[in-house]
Short mmCIF file of all heavy atoms in Angstrom, two decimals:
data_model
loop_
_atom_site.label_atom_id
_atom_site.label_comp_id
_atom_site.label_asym_id
_atom_site.label_seq_id
_atom_site.Cartn_x
_atom_site.Cartn_y
_atom_site.Cartn_z
N SER A 775 4.56 23.81 0.84
CA SER A 775 3.66 24.33 1.90
C SER A 775 2.48 23.39 2.05
O SER A 775 2.12 22.55 1.25
CB SER A 775 3.20 25.72 1.47
OG SER A 775 2.31 25.61 0.44
N ASN A 783 -4.20 17.45 -3.39
CA ASN A 783 -5.11 16.33 -2.97
C ASN A 783 -6.58 16.61 -3.29
O ASN A 783 -7.35 15.68 -3.67
CB ASN A 783 -5.01 16.03 -1.48
CG ASN A 783 -3.70 15.32 -1.13
OD1 ASN A 783 -3.08 14.66 -1.94
ND2 ASN A 783 -3.29 15.46 0.10
N HIS A 784 -6.93 17.86 -3.23
CA HIS A 784 -8.32 18.22 -3.56
C HIS A 784 -8.57 17.95 -5.00
O HIS A 784 -9.59 17.40 -5.38
CB HIS A 784 -8.43 19.76 -3.27
CG HIS A 784 -9.84 20.30 -3.67
ND1 HIS A 784 -10.96 19.92 -3.00
CD2 HIS A 784 -10.20 21.11 -4.70
CE1 HIS A 784 -11.98 20.54 -3.56
NE2 HIS A 784 -11.55 21.25 -4.62
N HIS A 785 -7.64 18.25 -5.89
CA HIS A 785 -7.83 17.98 -7.37
C HIS A 785 -7.86 16.47 -7.59
O HIS A 785 -8.64 16.00 -8.44
CB HIS A 785 -6.73 18.58 -8.20
CG HIS A 785 -6.94 20.05 -8.40
ND1 HIS A 785 -7.94 20.52 -9.22
CD2 HIS A 785 -6.27 21.13 -7.95
CE1 HIS A 785 -7.89 21.79 -9.25
NE2 HIS A 785 -6.90 22.22 -8.49
N GLU A 789 -10.99 14.45 -9.25
CA GLU A 789 -10.79 13.60 -10.41
C GLU A 789 -11.38 12.21 -10.11
O GLU A 789 -12.07 11.63 -10.96
CB GLU A 789 -9.29 13.40 -10.68
CG GLU A 789 -8.97 12.56 -11.93
CD GLU A 789 -9.40 13.21 -13.19
OE1 GLU A 789 -9.59 14.43 -13.28
OE2 GLU A 789 -9.62 12.48 -14.17
N LYS A 794 -15.86 8.38 -11.02
CA LYS A 794 -16.98 7.60 -10.52
C LYS A 794 -18.29 7.99 -11.17
O LYS A 794 -19.14 7.16 -11.47
CB LYS A 794 -17.07 7.76 -8.99
CG LYS A 794 -16.04 6.99 -8.23
CD LYS A 794 -16.20 7.19 -6.72
CE LYS A 794 -15.16 6.43 -5.94
NZ LYS A 794 -15.33 6.63 -4.49
N THR A 795 -18.47 9.30 -11.37
CA THR A 795 -19.67 9.84 -11.96
C THR A 795 -19.82 9.33 -13.42
O THR A 795 -20.87 8.89 -13.83
CB THR A 795 -19.72 11.38 -11.91
OG1 THR A 795 -19.60 11.80 -10.60
CG2 THR A 795 -20.98 11.90 -12.57
N GLN A 799 -22.68 6.90 -14.88
CA GLN A 799 -23.50 7.24 -16.03
C GLN A 799 -23.46 6.15 -17.08
O GLN A 799 -24.47 5.77 -17.70
CB GLN A 799 -23.05 8.57 -16.64
CG GLN A 799 -23.41 9.75 -15.77
CD GLN A 799 -22.79 11.04 -16.32
OE1 GLN A 799 -21.91 10.99 -17.17
NE2 GLN A 799 -23.26 12.19 -15.78
N LYS A 800 -22.27 5.63 -17.34
CA LYS A 800 -22.09 4.58 -18.37
C LYS A 800 -22.84 3.29 -17.89
O LYS A 800 -23.49 2.68 -18.69
CB LYS A 800 -20.60 4.26 -18.51
CG LYS A 800 -20.26 3.48 -19.77
CD LYS A 800 -18.78 3.24 -19.92
CE LYS A 800 -18.11 4.50 -20.32
NZ LYS A 800 -16.68 4.28 -20.60
N ARG A 801 -22.76 2.97 -16.61
CA ARG A 801 -23.44 1.81 -16.06
C ARG A 801 -24.94 1.95 -16.25
O ARG A 801 -25.63 1.03 -16.61
CB ARG A 801 -22.99 1.60 -14.65
CG ARG A 801 -23.46 0.29 -14.06
CD ARG A 801 -22.82 -0.02 -12.69
NE ARG A 801 -22.75 1.13 -11.79
CZ ARG A 801 -21.61 1.74 -11.45
NH1 ARG A 801 -20.47 1.35 -11.93
NH2 ARG A 801 -21.65 2.77 -10.63
N ILE A 804 -26.01 1.41 -19.81
CA ILE A 804 -25.97 -0.01 -20.19
C ILE A 804 -27.18 -0.70 -19.61
O ILE A 804 -27.84 -1.48 -20.30
CB ILE A 804 -24.66 -0.65 -19.70
CG1 ILE A 804 -23.45 -0.14 -20.54
CG2 ILE A 804 -24.75 -2.17 -19.81
CD1 ILE A 804 -22.11 -0.51 -19.99
N ASN A 807 -30.26 0.20 -21.64
CA ASN A 807 -30.35 -0.48 -22.87
C ASN A 807 -30.76 -1.96 -22.73
O ASN A 807 -31.54 -2.48 -23.48
CB ASN A 807 -28.97 -0.44 -23.60
CG ASN A 807 -28.71 0.95 -24.19
OD1 ASN A 807 -29.65 1.73 -24.37
ND2 ASN A 807 -27.45 1.28 -24.40
N ILE A 808 -30.20 -2.64 -21.69
CA ILE A 808 -30.53 -4.01 -21.49
C ILE A 808 -31.99 -4.11 -21.09
O ILE A 808 -32.71 -5.01 -21.56
CB ILE A 808 -29.60 -4.63 -20.39
CG1 ILE A 808 -28.19 -4.75 -20.93
CG2 ILE A 808 -30.13 -5.98 -19.92
CD1 ILE A 808 -27.15 -5.13 -19.90
N THR A 811 -34.25 -3.56 -24.15
CA THR A 811 -34.19 -4.74 -25.03
C THR A 811 -35.05 -5.92 -24.45
O THR A 811 -35.79 -6.56 -25.11
CB THR A 811 -32.77 -5.21 -25.26
OG1 THR A 811 -32.00 -4.11 -25.82
CG2 THR A 811 -32.71 -6.39 -26.18
N ALA A 812 -34.89 -6.16 -23.13
CA ALA A 812 -35.60 -7.19 -22.46
C ALA A 812 -37.14 -6.96 -22.57
O ALA A 812 -37.95 -7.84 -22.80
CB ALA A 812 -35.16 -7.35 -21.04
N TRP A 826 -51.25 -15.98 -31.76
CA TRP A 826 -51.34 -17.40 -31.88
C TRP A 826 -52.66 -17.95 -31.25
O TRP A 826 -53.31 -18.87 -31.76
CB TRP A 826 -50.15 -18.07 -31.21
CG TRP A 826 -50.21 -19.55 -31.21
CD1 TRP A 826 -49.96 -20.38 -32.26
CD2 TRP A 826 -50.48 -20.43 -30.08
NE1 TRP A 826 -50.09 -21.71 -31.86
CE2 TRP A 826 -50.42 -21.76 -30.51
CE3 TRP A 826 -50.82 -20.19 -28.75
CZ2 TRP A 826 -50.65 -22.80 -29.69
CZ3 TRP A 826 -51.04 -21.23 -27.92
CH2 TRP A 826 -50.95 -22.53 -28.38
N LEU A 827 -53.11 -17.35 -30.06
CA LEU A 827 -54.27 -17.74 -29.42
C LEU A 827 -55.54 -17.53 -30.31
O LEU A 827 -56.48 -18.30 -30.30
CB LEU A 827 -54.51 -17.01 -28.11
CG LEU A 827 -53.71 -17.56 -26.91
CD1 LEU A 827 -54.01 -16.69 -25.71
CD2 LEU A 827 -54.14 -18.98 -26.63
N MET A 829 -55.66 -17.28 -33.62
CA MET A 829 -55.58 -17.81 -34.96
C MET A 829 -56.67 -18.93 -35.10
O MET A 829 -56.87 -19.67 -34.14
CB MET A 829 -54.23 -18.40 -35.27
CG MET A 829 -53.18 -17.36 -35.58
SD MET A 829 -51.58 -18.11 -35.92
CE MET A 829 -51.96 -19.08 -37.37
#
Side-chain angles (χ1 to χ4, degrees):
S775 71
N783 287 337
H784 177 70
H785 281 290
E789 184 67 22
K794 285 182 182 178
T795 302
Q799 288 173 346
K800 195 178 288 187
R801 191 170 42 250
I804 290 170
N807 286 339
I808 291 171
T811 303
W826 177 75
L827 280 178
M829 283 181 62

